[in-house]
Every structure is written in C-alpha cells, then in structure tokens.
Amino acid sequence: MVHRRLLQLAGAVSGAILALAGLGVVLSVLHIAFALAAGSVVTAVVHGDGDLVPGLAALTGIALLRGVLIGAREPTATRVGAEVRIRLRRRLLLQLATVPVAERDSGRTAATVLDGVDGLDAYYTRYLPQLIVVLVVPAVVVALVWTRSAGAGAVLAVATAVAVLAPRVWDARLLRTGRRRWDRFTRLSSDYVEALQQIPLLRSFGATDRIAARIAADADGLRVSTMAQLRLSLVETLVSGVALHLGTVLVVFAAVAAVVSGGAGATAAMTVLLLARECFRPVQDLGTTWHAGYLGLTAVDGLERLLSGRPAVIENGAHAAPAPTGSVMVDDVTYRYPGTTTGVRGLSLRVAPGETVAVVGPSGSGKSTLARLLERDIDPDAGQVRVDGVDLRAYTRGARSRSVVVVPQDPVLFAWSVRDNLRLYRPAATDAEIEHACGLADVHDVVAALPDGYGTVLAENGEQLSGGQRQRLAIARALLSPAPVLVLDEVTSALDPDTEKRVMDAVARDSSARTVLVIAHRAGACLHADRWIALRDGRLTASGDGPPPARVLMAGSAS
Ligand code: ADP
C-alpha cells in the first residue's frame, strides 16, 4: 500500500529507495537470465547437440553475480535504513523543540519517534523498493512466457494480478485496525512512561496496584487488537499464497497442454516453468516486506500529529548580536493561551539596564506568562517585547538566549554530569567559573559532597537532589550566562528564609550590571528590588519604588 504522506516524507531518501529498487530489478533480471540459460542448457542436453560448456559457464557466472548482488543489497538497505531513521528523527526532534510543552506527550512521542520510525525504515527500504520491482518484473516475465506459450502467459498474468490485487481488498480494513492498534500501543507507552516516572508518588497515594491493573488491562486490549490485525493480515497472505500456488499448478497445466497440442516443445515448456517461478518470486517477497514495513504505515497518524504541531514561535529573526545592555520594553502586550481568555492583557513595562524589578501578584495573575514572553517561549498576540530596542522576534535564537535568561520555578536538570548541566549557557565555562557561580548560589558544598563532585552524573532531572538544591543549581547555571537580562521566576520558593537571603544577596552582588526581573511571593526574594509592579488577572494594577511593601505581597499570596 502506498501512502501519499509517507511518500512525501520519503522526499530526501527517494533516490536511495530507487537505487534499492534498481538493485532488486537487476537481481530479478539475473533470475530470469538464469531461467533462460537453464532452459537452453536443458534444450541442448535433450537434443544432444552443441557444446554445453558456454551454457554452464553462463549459469555459474549468473549465480555468482547474483550472490554478490544479494550480499551487497543487505548492507545497502541497512545503511539507507539508518539514514532514513536519522533524518526522520532529526526532523521530528527539531519540530518537537518548537511545539509548546503542554502539547507534548512523552510516552506517545517516544513510541512514534522510536518504534514508528523503526517501522518506517522497513517500509522505505524493503517494501517500497520491492513494490517497484513487482510493477516492472512480472510484466516482463509474462511477455517472455507469452512468446513461448500464450496459454501459460495468460494464466501467469491472471494469477499474478490476483496475487497482487486481491489482498488490496483488505487494505483499508487492515489500515483501520492497524491505526487502532497503534493508538492503543502509543497510549500504553504513554501510561508506562507516566507510571514509571511517578512511581514514588503513586506509591505514596497507595495507587500502584490500581495503576498496574489499569496498565495490564490496556496491555490486554493491545493484545486483542494485535491478534485482530494479525488475523486480517493472515487472510491477506493466505489469499495471495493461494493465488500463487494455484497459479503455479495452472501454469504447469497450460505448459503441458501446449506440449500435448504441439503448441510448444518440451524444452520450451521447461523454460516456461522456470520463468513462472521468477514471476511469482517478487510477489512473494512483496508479501514478506509488507509485513515488515506495515508498522511504519500504521504510525503515520502519530508522525502526522507530531509534524503538524503548530510551532509556538516562528524562528526567522536575523539579528545575530546579543543585547549589549539589557533594557527591557514591554509595550501594550496582550497574549491569550489558545482557546482561553487567560494570559496577559495590555501589559506595558520599561526596565532600564541594571535595574531590578520585582513582579508580584496572586497565582494566575500572569507573572509566568510575562516570563515566557521575555524568553520568547510564546509571542504576543498584540504589542511588542523589546530588549535593547530590538523586538525579540528579530533576534536569532542564539542571540536571544545570550540576551535573556529565564530561570523557572521547577528547573530542568539533565541526566548529565553536574558540570555539563552548569555549562548549558556557557559551554566554555572553566571549572573555577563554575565553582564561583555555585558558591554564589550557595550550592558548592552540596555539589562537593556528591560522590564525584562536579563530575557526578545526575539521575533523571536531578532526582537525587532536593527541590531547593535543584533551584540553586539552576541559579548558578543562569549566573554563568553572559545574558544581560535575568528573569527569576519564583526560584527561591523551595529555600528556607536564611538561604534565600544569602542566595539573593549574592545574586544582587553578581548581577549589579544586569537587568533583573524577580517574580516572587515572598519579601526575602525581593529585598534588592529598585521597583515593583503588581499584576492581577493579566493586567498591571499597581507599581512602586523599592521592594514591594508587605501589604502588596500579602495580597499576592492571599489568593
Ligand atoms: P502566575 O505565574 O501569575 O501564577 P500564569 O502566567 O502562569 O500566572 O497564568 C496566567 C493565566 O494564564 C492563568 O489564568 C493560567 O490559568 C493561564 N495559563 C497559564 N498557562 C496556561 C496554558 N499553558 N494554557 C492555558 N492557560 C494557561
């Protein structure tokens, strides 16, 4: 079955697919040549005339060449397959990087990127080339047989057509059940990933047995739908197999009838039988490759969903120089989350280079949305966000990340060494610089106490560290960045008041030249603010000089 979308996706590798198909055609031609040569050798033996040596030499030569080409096909297919997988995965990952986090589902995505793409490898490197062979070779063989026995040629043509076309009756159903199965499979992957990531939490809820039972039921559903699909697929194989076997018998009958009626000689009949085999061989191989490549076909929906995800921002900025001083200008910005009325409305804010501004307000008032706008994780629906006079949309991605750094409340740490995690914004940071930054963020002693110090490879998302330690590592990572604008989004929420004060004092000292926006609920995080602004329902409702007064903070944390 040829799928339009999968053909489009093949785009870049279509040359390799055609090359593999070409190799398949050449192999079939060698099979046919072998059959013809064998036929002429038999003829020579039967008639007792001529020299057999050239015929036998030709047979040997063809067999050897065939062996070499078969040997070459496998590594070529494997290499092309690896290329297909790499290209597709790179494309999917690049796409994933642009899609908003909320629209990703790790389990389903992993199943599509891993299993789906593996399935496509077989579809592109086995099934499609073989399909091209089937479109070319049987027609040629039928023509060759026809010249020897019209009856046998006709039988061969009908049997091949039935073997290729009859299973197509089930294609639509097979694709439907396949998609259903794929959907169950990805849902199961998603449940597994979620359950595995949250085992401690599920245990604390006493919910592990319930979740295990639910996953077992899902797995059973997958088994049922896999079996249904297998049954359908076996019917297809059976129909095709019957057509081929019956076809062979009928070709024998037709060839014998031609000999009996004097329409063909015995040796011509022999050649016809050998050729019939070569007509059916590619069709049989197509059946085998179909089963290998089928998984890719069923994954098409998942691929489509990933590839059609709307990027949150379009990266086409050309301003490659990072902002030098870090003045921030938020100009009448409105942003609504898709399908909601929530976000921020008519927000305006000017922050001079080196200034520290505290952003306070109740939960849901739009503080993190402001941080996301400053990071250009999202673009305003109306208005502009500018840093040093340049619209954030005009910066290249690299220049932007060297202009503005946002530290979120729940920072992500990778399962890399502590050192590599800290070097994310500045890959060339020296060990001394890293240790200095960790000292400022009050986390050096924590890292030094790890088994391998800064070389310790963290567990997934730094699970061996406490929330507060992770926050401090993220602050240290941000301090290593050369960006002149630093946005701290409740980064000290998990710290005790003393540590919070130490960290914020150090950040203020180190970032005196930076523009800092501190999103916070507590006074301890805003002590160094030159000004404050308060948000409510996505709007700026109050502002003032110095750190935010207690009543403003109280109003923020009350709701
Ligand atoms: P804060 O950081 O002040 O707690 P947010 O900026 O996170 O507030 O949220 C502002 C508003 O936008 C809230 O009403 C919140 O429910 C909504 N919101 C935040 N993120 C999303 C999202 N991804 N999709 C839809 N609505 C969102």
Side-chain angles (χ1 to χ4, degrees):
M1 190 190 304
V2 178
H3 197 287
R4 194 178 44 81
R5 186 68 179 119
L6 288 182
L7 279 190
Q8 284 168 354
L9 278 179
V13 288
S14 51
I17 294 172
L18 285 176
L20 282 170
L23 205 56
V25 170
V26 172
L27 272 168
S28 290
V29 168
L30 287 176
H31 277 298
I32 295 167
F34 191 89
L36 292 173
S40 54
V41 168
V42 172
T43 308
V45 172
V46 170
H47 292 163
D49 57 12
D51 184 2
L52 292 181
V53 175
L56 289 174
L59 281 179
T60 314
I62 293 170
L64 283 176
L65 189 55
R66 210 167 55 188
V68 170
L69 287 183
I70 289 175
R73 183 170 59 173
E74 202 43 43
T76 310
T78 308
R79 189 171 44 75
V80 173
E83 260 172 48
V84 170
R85 276 182 277 174
I86 290 170
R87 268 173 212 257
L88 264 175
R89 289 199 175 118
R90 186 179 306 145
R91 201 168 149 191
L92 289 171
L93 292 178
L94 284 176
Q95 167 75 10
L96 277 171
T98 66
V99 177
V101 179
E103 290 175 24
R104 295 178 216 153
D105 172 336
S106 336
R108 273 179 195 261
T109 306
T112 304
V113 173
L114 298 175
D115 300 88
V117 171
D118 275 347
L120 276 183
D121 168 354
Y123 181 80
Y124 287 133
T125 64
R126 317 273 159 177
Y127 179 68
L128 282 185
Q130 191 58 30
L131 186 63
I132 296 173
V133 173
V134 166
L135 292 178
V136 176
V137 173
V140 174
V141 178
V142 166
L144 286 172
V145 169
W146 201 286
T147 59
R148 287 162 176 82
S149 161
V155 168
L156 202 56
V158 171
T160 310
V162 171
V164 173
L165 298 177
R168 304 290 74 83
V169 173
W170 285 273
D171 273 357
R173 255 182 86 185
L174 195 62
L175 191 58
R176 244 191 343 265
T177 54
R179 285 175 153 170
R180 217 173 298 142
R181 185 196 155 276
W182 180 257
D183 191 51
R184 279 180 182 270
F185 174 68
T186 52
R187 205 167 345 132
L188 187 64
S189 304
S190 176
D191 285 351
Y192 264 125
V193 168
E194 194 180 54
L196 288 174
Q197 280 173 342
Q198 305 299 344
I199 280 179
L201 198 62
L202 291 173
R203 207 183 296 130
S204 70
F205 285 134
T208 38
D209 287 349
R210 249 176 303 142
I211 300 297
R214 204 181 72 195
I215 289 182
D218 278 355
D220 200 51
L222 176 64
R223 182 189 60 80
V224 170
S225 95
T226 305
M227 291 311 290
Q229 187 197 337
L230 203 61
R231 273 196 296 276
L232 207 56
S233 151
L234 283 177
V235 170
E236 247 199 32
T237 312
L238 191 73
V239 169
S240 177
V242 166
L244 291 179
H245 287 108
L246 212 59
T248 310
V249 173
L250 291 177
V251 170
V252 172
F253 281 2
V256 169
V259 173
V260 170
S261 67
T267 51
M270 162 81 187
T271 308
V272 163
L273 295 181
L274 288 171
L275 283 173
R277 170 89 195 94
E278 299 318 322
C279 187
F280 293 144
R281 188 199 299 272
V283 182
Q284 248 168 355
D285 289 350
L286 185 69
T288 316
T289 56
W290 168 233
H291 289 291
Y294 175 72
L295 187 66
L297 199 64
T298 61
V300 72
D301 289 346
L303 287 165
E304 191 66 37
R305 202 177 40 241
L306 286 189
L307 289 172
S308 62
R310 205 165 60 91
V313 296
I314 311 254
E315 291 288 356
N316 54 8
H319 194 93
T325 62
S327 71
V328 173
M329 200 182 286
V330 177
D331 228 357
D332 201 12
V333 164
T334 293
Y335 175 82
R336 287 189 205 302
Y337 287 96
T340 74
T341 54
T342 55
V344 293
R345 282 179 292 168
L347 196 62
S348 291
L349 172 69
R350 272 154 207 249
V351 190
E355 215 181 356
T356 295
V357 175
V359 182
V360 299
S363 173
S365 59
K367 304 182 298 295
S368 294
T369 306
L370 173 62
R372 292 182 68 191
L373 285 161
L374 286 166
E375 196 178 21
R376 206 188 165 210
D377 192 28
I378 48 179
D379 274 339
D381 297 331
Q384 273 192 322
V385 181
R386 274 177 280 176
V387 173
D388 280 345
V390 179
D391 191 310
L392 277 184
R393 286 171 283 213
Y395 283 103
T396 60
R397 192 202 294 263
R400 202 173 56 245
S401 75
R402 277 177 282 129
S403 302
V404 182
V405 163
V406 176
V407 187
Q409 183 176 7
D410 293 314
V412 172
L413 295 174
F414 296 90
W416 308 338
S417 69
V418 175
R419 193 179 286 115
D420 286 346
N421 268 288
L422 288 163
R423 280 194 178 134
L424 266 171
Y425 290 119
R426 193 175 346 158
T430 62
D431 285 353
E433 286 167 335
I434 288 176
E435 285 178 29
H436 176 67
C438 285
L440 291 172
D442 204 30
V443 74
H444 172 73
D445 292 345
V446 174
V447 179
L450 290 172
D452 231 348
Y454 284 85
T456 307
V457 175
L458 294 177
E460 196 174 333
N461 202 19
E463 289 298 343
Q464 73 266 62
L465 302 172
S466 72
Q469 290 167 341
R470 283 204 295 270
Q471 284 187 333
R472 280 178 283 161
L473 271 183
I475 293 171
R477 176 161 74 187
L479 292 179
L480 280 164
S481 150
V485 180
L486 187 59
V487 182
L488 305 174
D489 188 356
E490 301 195 40
V491 291
T492 52
S493 60
L495 304 187
D496 61 81
D498 286 347
T499 316
E500 178 178 53
K501 182 166 178 341
R502 265 200 314 279
V503 170
M504 290 314 289
D505 284 350
V507 168
R509 264 197 323 277
D510 188 67
S511 300
S512 58
R514 282 192 175 110
T515 309
V516 183
L517 275 94
V518 184
I519 296 174
H521 279 295
R522 297 196 312 218
C526 318
L527 286 178
H528 301 276
D530 301 308
R531 285 194 292 133
W532 58 270
I533 60 165
L535 303 184
R536 180 176 284 274
D537 295 333
R539 287 181 180 281
L540 197 154
T541 50
S543 60
D545 289 333
R551 64 178 165 76
V552 173
L553 285 165
M554 292 277 285
S557 49
S559 37

